[in-house]
Every structure is written in structure tokens, then in C-alpha cells.
């Protein structure tokens, strides 16, 4: 049991504080009560889930079917390099060596 307490202390070593208006607090307390959870636990879960969703939304690229087809076609059948790309590779090779 002591181990769990130490682990919990490490997990919750940081503080995050903010103020809410009375109606928001009442709403959160009601929701926590409906789930039979402490307000802190309810908020931690809700904030963590929202943070994960936000990160996934911003780090995931969703393509339309048309865009997906164009992307995979370019991978399978890459276009010939144009003059500008050829010059860029030559400059890169010149700067970094073979």
C-alpha cells in the first residue's frame, strides 16, 4: 500500500490551478456526482481525454479519397525530378559531400 502512495505522489506532483464561475463549478460537481467520482478525479479524466483528442486532431492528417489517390500515385509513380530539384540535390551534395 505504501508503494501506491509513493507512486500517486509522483504522478500528482505538479499542480494546475484555475478559477471557474459558479455555474461551471456546479455543472462539474453534478457531472462528477453522477459518475460517483471526486471532482478532482472527474476533472483529471476529462482534461486528459480532451488533451489527447486535441493532440490527435492536430497531429493526424486526414485525406479525402481524391487526395489519398493522388498521394499514393505519387509514391508508386514518382514524377521525374525537375531542374530546380536537380539543382537542390547538387547543392546539397556540394555542401555535405558524397
Amino acid at each position: 500500500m505504501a508503494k501506491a502512495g509513493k507512486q500517486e505522489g509522483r504522478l500528482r506532483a505538479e499542480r494546475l490551478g484555475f478559477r471557474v464561475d459558479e455555474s461551471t463549478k456546479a455543472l462539474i460537481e453534478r457531472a462528477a456526482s453522477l459518475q460517483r467520482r471526486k471532482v478532482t478525479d472527474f476533472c483529471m479524466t476529462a482534461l486528459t481525454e480532451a488533451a489527447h483528442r486535441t493532440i490527435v486532431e492536430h497531429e493526424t492528417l486526414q485525406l479525402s479519397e481524391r487526395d489519398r489517390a493522388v498521394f499514393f500515385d505519387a509514391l508508386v509513380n514518382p514524377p521525374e525530378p525537375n531542374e530546380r530539384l536537380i539543382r537542390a540535390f547538387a547543392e546539397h551534395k556540394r555542401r555535405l559531400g558524397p
Side-chain angles (χ1 to χ4, degrees):
M1 200 53 120
K3 186 177 181 183
K6 285 183 182 180
Q7 193 173 29
E8 173 123 353
R10 280 194 304 258
L11 293 175
R12 295 201 177 176
E14 299 296 322
R15 293 189 62 82
L16 181 65
F18 52 90
R19 295 191 177 277
V20 296
D21 59 48
E22 189 176 327
S23 63
T24 301
K25 182 180 179 191
L27 179 70
I28 293 168
E29 288 173 338
R30 181 175 176 214
S33 174
L34 289 169
Q35 290 189 351
R36 292 179 166 75
R37 299 171 71 185
K38 293 181 179 180
V39 171
T40 300
D41 293 334
F42 178 83
C43 290
M44 287 291 295
T45 300
L47 287 171
T48 302
E49 289 172 359
H52 283 292
R53 277 193 313 273
T54 299
I55 291 167
V56 167
E57 288 171 6
H58 284 84
E59 292 183 348
T60 303
L61 177 64
Q62 296 201 0
L63 301 175
S64 68
E65 284 299 319
R66 179 185 159 277
D67 292 339
R68 188 181 344 267
V70 169
F71 176 76
F72 283 113
D73 183 55
L75 287 176
V76 174
N77 304 305
E80 292 295 320
N82 61 22
E83 185 59 36
R84 186 173 177 186
L85 183 59
I86 292 169
R87 283 195 317 265
F89 274 118
E91 178 63 16
H92 177 76
K93 187 176 180 180
R94 184 189 69 75
R95 288 183 183 192
L96 299 181

